[in-house]
Amino acid sequence: MHRALGLLLLATTSAFAIPGSAQELETKGITDGFYLFTEQEVGWFKEDAEAAVTSARLGYAVEGPQLTLGFELGPRYISTFNLQNRTDWSAKLEGAWVPENTSFELYGEYEPALSTETDNSGFYQTAKWGLVIPLTSASQPQFDIGQGFADTSDFYIKLEQQGGWAVGGHQEFILTSPRLGYGLELDSVEIALEAGPSLRWSDQTSPHTDLATKLDLRFSPTERYEIFMEYEPTYIFQADQTGLIQILKAGLVFNF
């Protein structure tokens, strides 16, 4: 049961791969282009490693002053440390909208994937949407393709909901996460820290609340590429599964 819970949360986060290096929404005019996204992700429940996911996807983004859209496609190699390794194929459609003359942002992502697991082949899906509200005039929303929302200055509130559907269409979970965040930009380094409750429904009987935090580090020495790292610990308070789940991601995004 513990292993199943860890894999469930790992699948939740791996669907929303962290970084991408697209320009900020504040840029004037329309820009577009290809990028290559690569990522290594590992998850633990308590002291036990649950799974490792290696992703490589080719993406294309179109960015405007208020609206940004992106699409990615590529393989995902999954290792569960029990010799049941496999390579899936995933696609991702993502976008963000900052209404004119406002400071808040609406964003969403949808990721269908083709599972090659023995006796469980077929499509599984994850999706999320969210709202970002800056708390000060210095906190300006921005959206990096592949990364999702990434604030780089001062305090903000993020309201986010995620869902996952197994092969065959059965809904596996819903996560609702209100979080307080703080971002800081130092030259080519960006740091963001978020914390807040995570309301999780994984069946039809007993939703419960966990505590989730996230540390996001990104380094962009040039406009061509970005190096990233994200650490996301979540403490589970459910009576029969109490413990700490940790997700660590790192990778590189290269702009053509």
Side-chain angles (χ1 to χ4, degrees):
M1 188 67 174
H2 290 173
R3 182 169 297 274
L5 174 62
L7 290 174
L8 171 62
L9 291 189
L10 179 59
T12 304
T13 55
S14 66
F16 311 121
I18 308 190
S21 54
Q23 298 175 355
E24 298 178 4
L25 283 178
E26 297 99 316
T27 54
K28 299 184 181 300
I30 303 296
T31 61
D32 62 349
F34 288 95
Y35 61 94
L36 179 64
F37 167 84
T38 62
E39 179 186 72
Q40 178 68 58
E41 175 179 346
V42 181
W44 296 266
F45 179 70
K46 296 184 178 179
E47 302 297 328
D48 299 324
E50 297 288 346
V53 180
T54 302
S55 301
R57 296 196 294 265
L58 179 64
Y60 183 79
V62 178
E63 304 169 39
Q66 277 80 46
L67 181 66
T68 296
L69 296 173
F71 178 76
E72 299 176 7
L73 179 66
R76 175 191 297 161
Y77 179 74
I78 301 174
S79 173
T80 57
F81 303 110
N82 59 4
L83 303 181
Q84 297 180 5
N85 304 330
R86 70 180 196 268
T87 300
D88 294 349
W89 287 87
S90 66
K92 182 163 72 170
L93 176 66
E94 55 190 332
W97 177 48
V98 176
E100 191 172 2
N101 299 322
T102 66
S103 60
F104 69 87
E105 174 191 80
L106 293 167
Y107 63 94
E109 298 178 0
Y110 170 64
E111 185 171 1
L114 177 61
S115 172
T116 60
E117 185 178 5
T118 304
D119 299 326
N120 191 39
S121 61
F123 283 97
Y124 58 97
Q125 306 165 76
T126 55
K128 76 174 179 180
W129 71 276
L131 170 67
V132 177
I133 306 173
L135 296 181
T136 69
S137 58
S139 183
Q140 179 63 40
Q142 62 182 41
F143 187 84
D144 288 342
I145 286 297
Q147 160 69 34
F149 170 78
D151 192 270
T152 60
S153 61
D154 232 320
F155 289 96
Y156 58 90
I157 290 177
K158 179 192 291 185
L159 305 175
E160 184 175 272
Q161 188 169 67
Q162 306 176 22
W165 294 264
V167 173
H170 172 71
Q171 188 170 53
E172 290 190 317
F173 64 88
I174 297 177
L175 294 175
T176 300
S177 303
R179 294 184 181 181
L180 176 65
Y182 180 79
L184 177 66
E185 184 173 10
L186 300 172
D187 295 326
S188 57
V189 178
E190 296 178 6
I191 304 171
L193 178 65
E194 298 177 1
S198 179
L199 288 72
R200 180 165 60 93
W201 291 261
S202 56
D203 52 42
Q204 300 178 353
T205 56
S206 57
H208 69 277
T209 302
D210 304 324
L211 177 61
T213 59
K214 183 170 71 172
L215 174 64
D216 185 3
L217 300 174
R218 283 171 289 130
F219 174 54
S220 305
T222 73
E223 294 183 357
R224 284 289 184 183
Y225 68 93
E226 175 182 84
I227 301 170
F228 64 88
M229 187 278 287
E230 182 182 89
Y231 173 62
E232 186 168 6
T234 299
Y235 194 85
I236 305 298
F237 289 100
Q238 190 171 352
D240 60 341
Q241 297 178 350
T242 301
L244 182 66
I245 288 179
Q246 303 175 76
I247 305 295
L248 179 64
K249 306 176 185 178
L252 171 70
V253 180
F254 179 79
N255 284 322
F256 294 105

